[in-house]
Amino acid sequence: MFSFRQFDIDDARCGMKVGTDGVLLGAWACCDGAVSVLDAGCGSGLIALMLAQRNDRACIIGVESDSGACLDAMGNVEKSPWADRVEIRCGDVLDFDRSSLQSPLLVVSNPPFFSESLHSPEPGRSLARHGEGFDVMTLISLAGRLLREPSDSLAFIAPAARIDEIEFRLALERLDVRRRATVFSREGRKPVRVLYQVGHGAGNVTEEEKIAIRDTANQLTMQYKSLTSEFYLDR
């Protein structure tokens, strides 16, 4: 059980546990103007609940294909202050029909992306980590279909090593990069992740950021603390 300032997360049945990637995305994604949010592959419901805390009017739907993670997410939402605005659906997000969601729509996802690492012997964890059936590229293609208005956007986190591949796919789907943040595990090291917010029809007017999680002394940076201060109990 993970206790945040305004909600708790039980991820006992989830293949992928609560981690820095999800917290970063939930804190960083621009959600102020959204009236609808789709959390694609919502896992324990962490990001959906973070966005519910940050946006007090959005209708939020989390879709998760893994039955255990879906049960965790449902329980976490039910115990949260936003059970009336957050809905968890068990199923394949690739089959999602957005007709019930109004624009501005925010699609958000912490997709699996460990496609080149060794697979876990645990089926649930392997599916969550390796994206068998749903991965970064599939997410971008899904967004190309779901985002219809210039006010709609997709926010996601991806490995820094795949920037060229990801941005090529974004271009194919005519998704322009609006915001991008390069994430470093420690100051002075190579980047490990990139946060993106993209959409149709805006042109590549990119807000560039750099986020270091820890400083050279291995202490959490003030930047990271400030970004996540609304959620962590000890910030």
Side-chain angles (χ1 to χ4, degrees), residues 68-109:
C70 197
L71 289 172
D72 278 345
M74 288 179 171
N76 294 330
V77 167
E78 183 179 356
K79 296 173 185 176
S80 78
W82 311 288
D84 60 331
R85 289 196 295 114
V86 182
E87 176 189 356
I88 302 299
R89 299 182 185 179
C90 298
D92 189 342
V93 72
L94 299 181
D95 297 328
F96 184 79
D97 178 4
R98 71 150 284 174
S99 60
S100 62
L101 298 181
Q102 299 179 355
S103 293
L105 166 66
L106 169 63
V107 179
V108 64
S109 185

Side-chain angles (χ1 to χ4, degrees), residues 25-235:
L25 180 60
W28 179 84
C30 182
C31 64
D32 293 348
V35 297
S36 303
V37 175
L38 171 64
D39 185 353
C42 67
S44 63
L46 169 65
I47 296 172
L49 291 175
M50 291 180 73
L51 295 180
Q53 178 180 324
R54 294 179 55 207
N55 181 323
D56 61 7
R57 65 170 184 154
C59 168
I60 300 172
I61 296 177
V63 181
E64 175 55 54
S65 62
D66 179 79
S67 59
C70 197
L71 289 172
D72 278 345
M74 288 179 171
N76 294 330
V77 167
E78 183 179 356
K79 296 173 185 176
S80 78
W82 311 288
D84 60 331
R85 289 196 295 114
V86 182
E87 176 189 356
I88 302 299
R89 299 182 185 179
C90 298
D92 189 342
V93 72
L94 299 181
D95 297 328
F96 184 79
D97 178 4
R98 71 150 284 174
S99 60
S100 62
L101 298 181
Q102 299 179 355
S103 293
L105 166 66
L106 169 63
V107 179
V108 64
S109 185
N110 175 17
F113 45 68
F114 288 89
S115 59
E116 297 178 3
S117 60
L118 294 175
H119 285 219
S120 168
E122 301 175 29
R125 186 168 176 82
S126 181
L127 178 64
R129 287 176 64 88
H130 297 279
E132 297 163 7
F134 182 68
D135 58 12
V136 177
M137 298 304 159
T138 309
L139 170 67
I140 294 171
S141 296
L142 174 67
R145 173 171 62 87
L146 294 180
L147 305 185
R148 298 175 180 172
E149 303 293 334
S151 59
D152 298 339
S153 66
L154 163 68
F156 65 100
I157 188 167
R162 297 184 69 182
I163 287 177
D164 290 344
E165 179 187 1
I166 287 166
E167 296 194 359
F168 178 74
R169 182 61 65 90
L170 289 172
L172 288 179
E173 296 291 342
R174 299 185 179 180
L175 291 167
D176 300 320
V177 179
R178 298 175 180 175
R179 301 174 65 218
R180 181 171 51 212
T182 306
V183 181
F184 303 82
S185 60
R186 191 181 299 184
E187 291 176 342
R189 294 192 174 180
K190 292 182 179 180
V192 291
R193 300 283 186 269
V194 181
L195 292 155
Y196 283 98
Q197 191 136 8
V198 304
H200 289 302
N204 286 310
V205 182
T206 307
E207 295 180 24
E208 295 279 5
E209 301 175 64
K210 292 183 179 180
I211 300 172
I213 298 172
R214 294 183 178 273
D215 60 23
T216 54
N218 203 29
Q219 301 298 311
L220 291 174
T221 63
M222 290 303 298
Q223 181 188 28
Y224 180 75
K225 289 181 180 181
S226 176
L227 181 63
T228 60
S229 61
E230 295 180 41
F231 303 103
Y232 284 131
L233 289 170
D234 58 347
R235 298 290 185 268

